[in-house]
Amino acid sequence: AHFHSDIRGFVNLTEKSYQSIYKKAHKINAFEWFLSSTESGETADDYAISIYTARDNYGVSYMHINLPIDFAYSEKGRSGFETWVKEIVSELEVLHGYAGLNIQLPYDRHTYQFYEYGVTRQYWGLTPDGASFFTTDWQEGTRSINWYSFVGKQLKDKIQKQPFYTETLANSSNIQVSEINACLIFKAGEIPRLGNKDKPLPLNYILINQIFKVVRSDMPSDAMHTAYNGPRYSLSQVYY
């Protein structure tokens, strides 16, 4: 395992290197930690975890995890993934979030923004994930929905108090809803699905998207997380 360490790039994860980074986290108000299975930022990772910790109004803390697609399409992988989801939600106070299919880019992702843009314009359900300096956009509400969609205790009353909320879910047998640690978890079927913009979109995703509109943040002027570096691309195809 390797993690990104400022200007030195990626270094091996050892007890010494971990403690060196850990000590810095106590001294600043905003800290980003990126752990990867690759040795550099030039190739996409099989596994990657990015954690941004903020306090004193320095933005919203987040956890971003990338796993191989095999996890979604094997029974063992899905079972392990769901167990991990439940553990994370049980241990952390979740504001909102989502999990599903995505494009795994290298850490140095800016070169590949044209590819990401092309794919996300064609398919719904591949939400480009923003870097830490964009997380302030999501303090008031959730960004989008996906295979798993989460909404925590600060927002869940808005979800549950909607007219016909209970009746809608009662007639949507393929949507699973659970609650852990005051966080609602919506699951849109047994496996994740994409929506081709030229074909009818998956009904489960449309219903969850409709339910989540009351907790949606304002539509951003540009949803591509790399837009600051180059042309201002138009919105990707996210559920909105």
Side-chain angles (χ1 to χ4, degrees):
H2 303 77
F3 68 87
H4 191 262
S5 178
D6 302 324
I7 61 174
R8 292 184 296 164
F10 284 78
V11 298
N12 287 328
L13 177 61
T14 64
E15 181 63 26
K16 181 179 179 180
S17 61
Y18 170 78
Q19 291 297 334
S20 175
I21 296 296
Y22 182 75
K23 290 178 182 178
K24 295 179 181 179
H26 294 276
K27 301 177 182 179
I28 54 180
N29 287 320
F31 184 79
E32 188 171 21
W33 194 78
F34 184 85
L35 179 66
S36 168
S37 59
T38 191
E39 297 181 5
S40 73
E42 299 178 357
T43 57
D45 331 81
D46 290 327
Y47 300 85
I49 300 177
S50 179
I51 299 174
Y52 176 79
T53 299
R55 57 177 177 260
D56 298 336
N57 297 318
Y58 272 73
V60 177
S61 300
Y62 75 85
M63 176 182 293
H64 178 199
I65 302 172
N66 283 102
L67 302 171
I69 197 170
D70 295 350
F71 274 75
Y73 293 106
S74 72
E75 185 174 346
K76 181 179 179 181
R78 290 193 301 272
S79 176
F81 179 75
E82 183 160 349
T83 299
W84 200 4
V85 165
K86 291 178 179 178
E87 290 179 354
I88 291 174
V89 174
S90 296
E91 294 296 327
L92 301 177
E93 183 177 331
V94 176
L95 177 60
H96 57 73
Y98 53 83
L101 299 177
N102 210 337
I103 299 173
Q104 174 65 328
L105 297 180
Y107 183 83
D108 299 328
R109 57 189 177 274
H110 308 111
T111 304
Y112 304 94
Q113 66 177 357
F114 72 91
Y115 171 77
E116 183 181 38
Y117 172 72
V119 175
T120 55
R121 287 293 292 172
Q122 179 67 31
Y123 296 100
W124 294 61
L126 291 171
T127 308
D129 292 308
S132 61
F133 38 82
F134 281 111
T135 56
T136 54
D137 294 337
W138 320 124
Q139 292 188 47
E140 302 300 326
T142 185
R143 177 177 191 174
S144 188
I145 62 97
N146 213 301
W147 180 32
Y148 283 81
S149 302
F150 312 98
V151 60
K153 63 181 181 181
Q154 296 182 45
L155 300 172
K156 72 173 186 175
D157 283 350
K158 292 183 179 181
I159 292 277
Q160 294 178 318
K161 291 182 179 180
Q162 294 181 90
F164 308 110
Y165 167 77
T166 302
E167 292 83 353
T168 299
L169 292 177
N171 289 282
S172 308
S173 59
N174 290 327
I175 297 176
Q176 302 175 32
V177 182
S178 58
E179 182 172 347
I180 299 175
N181 193 21
C183 176
L184 292 177
I185 304 173
F186 291 75
K187 184 180 178 183
E190 287 302 316
I191 61 174
R193 294 185 61 189
L194 294 180
N196 190 319
K197 72 181 184 69
D198 298 321
K199 298 179 181 180
L201 297 174
L203 181 58
N204 290 349
Y205 286 68
I206 294 175
L207 289 174
I208 293 176
N209 183 60
Q210 187 65 32
I211 291 172
F212 267 60
K213 283 190 174 182
V214 295
V215 294
R216 191 65 45 80
S217 60
D218 292 336
M219 181 180 285
S221 60
D222 196 321
M224 296 301 293
H225 64 80
T226 58
Y228 71 92
N229 186 16
R232 298 293 296 182
Y233 291 135
S234 57
L235 286 167
S236 58
Q237 299 284 31
V238 298
Y239 286 93
Y240 229 106

